[in-house]
């Protein structure tokens, strides 16, 4: 999934974590956040498919023998990095540098 292409749909929903394929674009899927449908794009040239009530992004290939095979990948929703995560990473780097200086490196 292209994690920078998550968008919020105006369509309301109420079942948190419900998933569906986008009816207008086979490379996109939607997940309910409890209020609105969030739209995501599958990775690369993968297309959205339903496996029960879950979305899977997959690719289709036809072999030399005419057999069609599917490779499915479970999509990972976009989670924006919070400022707290960035601060924590910076503090961890400083702590590591201090520890190395005390160790004599």
């Amino acid at each position: 999934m292209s994690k920078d292409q998550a968008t919020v749909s105006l369509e309301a929903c109420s079942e948190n974590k419900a998933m569906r394929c986008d009816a207008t674009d086979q490379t996109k899927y939607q997940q309910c956040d409890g209020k609105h449908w969030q739209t995501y794009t599958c990775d690369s040239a993968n297309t959205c498919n339903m496996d029960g009530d879950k979305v899977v992004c997959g690719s289709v290939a036809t072999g030399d023998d005419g057999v069609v095979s599917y490779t499915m990948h479970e999509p990972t929703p976009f989670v924006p990095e919070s400022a707290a995560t960035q601060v924590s990473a910076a503090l961890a780097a400083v702590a590591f540098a201090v520890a190395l200086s005390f160790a004599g490196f």
Side-chain angles (χ1 to χ4, degrees), residues 56-71:
V56 288
C57 292
S59 58
V60 179
T62 304
D64 293 335
D65 56 1
V67 175
V68 177
S69 62
Y70 297 88
T71 304

Side-chain angles (χ1 to χ4, degrees), residues 25-97:
D25 187 338
Q26 66 181 0
T27 64
K28 295 184 179 181
Y29 67 96
Q30 298 175 322
Q31 184 170 7
C32 179
D33 66 4
K35 294 181 183 178
H36 298 97
W37 288 102
Q38 301 269 344
T39 301
Y40 303 95
T41 303
C42 293
D43 288 331
S44 307
N46 293 326
T47 59
C48 180
N49 300 278
M50 294 301 298
D51 182 15
D53 60 352
K54 286 182 70 174
V55 163
V56 288
C57 292
S59 58
V60 179
T62 304
D64 293 335
D65 56 1
V67 175
V68 177
S69 62
Y70 297 88
T71 304
M72 300 306 210
H73 311 279
E74 188 166 336
T76 306
F78 171 70
V79 179
E81 188 174 343
S82 71
T85 303
Q86 294 170 352
V87 170
S88 296
L91 290 176
V94 169
F96 182 71

